Amino acid sequence: MDSALTNLAYLAASVLFILGIKGLTHPRTAVRGNLYGATGMLLAIIATLASREVFGAGVQGIGVILAGVVIGGGIGATLALKIQMTAMPQMVALLNGFGGGASVFVAGAVFLDATDPTTRMTVSTVVSGIIGSVTFFGSLVAFDKLQGLVLPGKPIHFAGQQFVSLLIGLGALGVGVMIVTDPTATNLYWVVVALASIAGVLLTIPVGGADMPVAIALLNSYSGLAAASTGFVLDNNALIITGSLVGASGLILTRIMCKAMNRSVTNVLTGAIGPKAEAGASADEVYGGRVKSASPEEVAMLFDMARRVVIVPGYGLAVSQAQHSVRDLANLLESQGTEVEFAIHPVAGRMPGHMNVLLAEANIPYDKLREMDEINPTFAQTDVAIVIGANDVVNPVANTDPSSPIAGMPILEVDKARTVVVIKRSLNPGFAGIPNPLFAADNTLMFFGDGKKAVLDLISAIKEA
Amino acid sequence: MDALIPLLTIFMLAVFVGFEIITKVPPLLHTPLMSGSNAISGITIIGAMVAAASSSTLTTALGFSALVLAAINVVGGFLVTHRMLEMFRKKD
């Protein structure tokens, strides 16, 4: 196939990718959108196979390609089919990293093979090498932290960390400039890659476990930028278009996550947390004698008269695998004529949109899942709000105490509901490490216990009533 | 200045297209958006294929490594996105 035809196929693939993402703007069209994307990819792969560079290169090349596709495709398919929905952040972290790694290798291969590289090629090769390596190792650290393998979930700090990171980053750039001025020094590419790899690790270890949604979104963006930069190396529009789409997507998600935690990207990346917790009231001052604990039967009675119930799921719900029991509770209440909706905070899960996937997996219809801005005005007309495994995202202190570590963070205003039921193991604080006055409020009942067991007890209590 | 300007033009326009459509994706589907974008960023596979078919051993080795990683992204990304999106289908 001649190169004009190949490039035409790449253009068609890029259009299909854009249509694919457009499909994701509504759940009804999303499955079709994803199929558009996959079709575009298949088209691009077939066109490349048929191109002069590949097909013309002989049987041996085709054999190597087939082997790579079978191995990679096999690993990818196994991961995709086996992964638990709760582990989706780990999966995306890995895929981000692999995307970055692929860019490092492709850019390197093309650069080392080039006889007389242009300045455009050398500059973009260095950029691909740096961003790709940061993405690869940063994502491996993120994966490790989320999976809880070697590194602790807590931020890791050492003396002079930011200085060392800066020095290594500048070192990678400096060696990069040397490559641009003297493109025959091809071995320096691996020095750039090595330095950027260390930078990738150093940039991600200070990020705390609760901030991982931001880190993953940012690394997602980097993996796209690395691909776009590789497009500049290859003189290939399909890589540039796709890479910039992914880069834009990751940046938008990063911004949304930061806004939802009222933190800046720098603040998240340095692992810093707002003012110290001592600034606020102590747990004894907040809770002292005012916390009311309720039995399943007492809670069940609340639902007799309830016309509108809002369920607020937090990550604790997913940890205790309570999604399916919560769906049964919602169905039971609806069968009694109660209106039930779910309030989803943007950081309810461990990555953007995670909680929605976990609830959809339990067959909870998506039109019952409401975003924060949409549901907050309705809490005043809500009879019972049930908070399951969430803490900081319903802490009214965010709106009332400017000295609190979570001051200014947008919250779900459950305290405005007539009655609040909080299902929780204990009064232990959430990630922010501060007590929650909601638990001691006059209209709050604490229902202590494991999320799943508590919901099951509640269901049987309602049925008996 | 070889092909730099046309490539930069395409890059900038694609960034704008990206911002326009991605801001319209609802938070409901942000997780599938991320895994789906992982899948399409596996487009580096086409560069990996060309490198893998090279006659130089080093280039072939680098191309093959990229090919395996990109193929994981393509197959794993589209498949896991499909699995998630199926859950959001309305059940009648």
Side-chain angles (χ1 to χ4, degrees):
Chain A
M1 189 153 42
D2 76 39
S3 67
L5 216 53
T6 314
N7 282 320
L8 216 53
Y10 291 163
L11 176 61
S14 307
V15 171
L16 283 167
F17 292 158
I18 294 174
L19 289 176
I21 295 184
K22 206 156 173 285
L24 283 177
T25 50
H26 198 283
R28 254 199 325 270
T29 53
V31 174
R32 199 186 334 149
N34 191 48
L35 291 177
Y36 282 158
T39 311
M41 189 62 74
L42 191 65
L43 185 65
I45 290 174
I46 292 173
T48 312
L49 268 180
S51 73
R52 203 178 301 135
E53 292 112 307
V54 176
F55 192 70
V59 188
Q60 202 198 346
I62 305 271
V64 175
I65 290 172
L66 272 184
V69 169
V70 168
I71 295 174
I75 299 173
T78 315
L79 270 176
L81 297 175
K82 290 268 158 73
I83 195 89
Q84 300 274 319
M85 287 301 146
T86 41
M88 201 48 69
Q90 287 94 308
M91 170 100 182
V92 168
L94 275 186
L95 293 182
N96 285 340
F98 293 162
S103 293
V104 171
F105 287 129
V106 172
V110 175
F111 172 61
L112 298 185
D113 222 20
T115 40
D116 186 19
T118 60
T119 309
R120 164 185 48 92
M121 185 190 263
T122 49
V123 172
S124 47
T125 302
V126 169
V127 174
S128 290
I130 293 179
I131 304 181
S133 310
V134 167
T135 311
F136 184 75
F137 281 94
S139 300
L140 287 191
V141 171
F143 171 79
D144 181 283
K145 285 197 173 203
L146 286 163
Q147 189 74 28
L149 294 179
V150 188
L151 301 164
K154 285 184 314 208
I156 301 174
H157 290 290
F158 58 84
Q161 188 168 16
Q162 285 173 9
F163 180 70
V164 175
S165 306
L166 187 70
L167 212 64
I168 292 175
L170 286 176
L173 276 180
V175 180
V177 171
M178 286 161 69
I179 296 178
V180 175
T181 48
D182 176 18
T184 55
T186 48
N187 285 333
L188 287 182
Y189 179 68
W190 301 113
V191 179
V192 171
V193 168
L195 288 172
S197 302
I198 302 172
V201 173
L202 289 178
L203 281 173
T204 329
I205 53 171
V207 182
D211 292 338
M212 270 309 151
V214 180
I216 298 177
L218 197 61
L219 289 165
N220 189 232
S221 168
Y222 288 172
S223 75
L225 294 176
S229 173
T230 307
F232 280 88
V233 179
L234 294 175
D235 200 349
N236 184 308
N237 290 333
L239 263 77
I240 294 180
I241 295 172
T242 315
S244 40
L245 289 178
V246 177
S249 164
L251 276 183
I252 291 172
L253 295 176
T254 307
R255 213 172 50 188
I256 294 174
M257 288 295 109
C258 282
K259 243 175 98 184
M261 299 196 295
N262 193 36
R263 309 262 304 273
S264 71
V265 177
T266 346
N267 184 275
V268 170
L269 290 184
T270 52
I273 304 198
K276 282 274 174 279
E278 300 93 82
S282 75
D284 286 345
E285 284 163 35
V286 173
Y287 300 138
R290 284 192 291 272
V291 174
K292 295 181 291 293
S293 172
S295 68
E297 290 71 27
E298 289 169 275
V299 176
M301 278 193 292
L302 292 172
F303 296 109
D304 282 347
M305 305 294 288
R307 293 175 52 194
R308 180 179 157 80
V309 172
V310 172
I311 301 177
V312 181
Y315 194 67
L317 169 133
V319 172
S320 79
Q321 292 290 324
Q323 302 93 304
H324 292 86
S325 329
V326 167
R327 178 208 51 213
D328 293 342
L329 174 66
N331 287 349
L332 176 63
L333 292 173
E334 281 183 333
S335 72
Q336 300 179 343
T338 311
E339 179 192 5
V340 181
E341 287 188 327
F342 290 79
I344 314 289
H345 193 277
V347 292
R350 306 206 79 184
M351 69 182 286
H354 193 196
M355 186 53 70
N356 297 293
V357 173
L358 297 175
L359 296 179
E361 188 189 18
N363 285 321
I364 294 168
Y366 63 78
D367 46 14
K368 297 203 182 305
L369 311 179
R370 296 269 174 252
E371 291 167 32
M372 180 168 60
D373 296 340
E374 202 183 338
I375 202 148
N376 265 344
T378 73
F379 277 115
Q381 289 92 48
T382 299
D383 297 299
V384 186
I386 314 173
V387 180
I388 308 175
N391 191 345
D392 296 332
V393 297
V394 293
N395 193 337
V397 156
N399 288 339
T400 54
D401 181 2
S403 70
S404 153
I406 58 167
M409 176 172 121
I411 57 156
L412 289 163
E413 295 162 355
V414 290
D415 50 319
K416 299 216 166 73
R418 198 154 303 147
T419 312
V420 184
V421 176
V422 179
I423 299 179
K424 214 175 165 308
R425 285 171 182 276
S426 66
L427 286 173
N428 283 348
F431 282 123
I434 51 168
N436 190 340
L438 174 74
F439 302 161
D442 290 338
N443 59 338
T444 301
L445 290 176
M446 295 300 293
F447 180 1
F448 290 110
D450 167 71
K452 185 174 178 180
K453 191 176 171 298
V455 172
L456 289 175
D457 290 347
L458 187 55
I459 291 174
S460 38
I462 294 174
K463 281 184 178 159
E464 277 162 26
Chain B
M1 214 45 221
D2 78 328
L4 181 64
I5 299 302
L7 294 177
L8 263 183
T9 310
I10 288 165
F11 175 72
M12 284 316 296
L13 292 178
V15 168
F16 277 100
V17 171
F19 268 95
E20 284 304 314
I21 47 173
I22 286 150
T23 42
K24 294 197 179 69
V25 176
L28 180 72
L29 296 179
H30 277 170
T31 298
L33 170 67
M34 288 184 87
S35 59
S37 64
N38 281 144
I40 62 169
S41 72
I43 187 70
T44 39
I45 199 167
I46 63 179
M49 288 165 70
V50 174
S54 154
S55 50
S56 135
T57 318
L58 177 61
T59 312
T60 306
L62 290 174
F64 181 78
S65 313
L67 191 58
V68 172
L69 293 179
I72 297 177
N73 266 25
V74 169
V75 176
F78 282 121
L79 215 55
V80 85
T81 308
H82 187 78
R83 229 184 105 195
M84 276 190 271
L85 292 176
E86 280 286 328
M87 296 172 187
F88 285 99
R89 275 213 168 150
K90 253 223 156 93
K91 277 126 200 137
D92 297 304

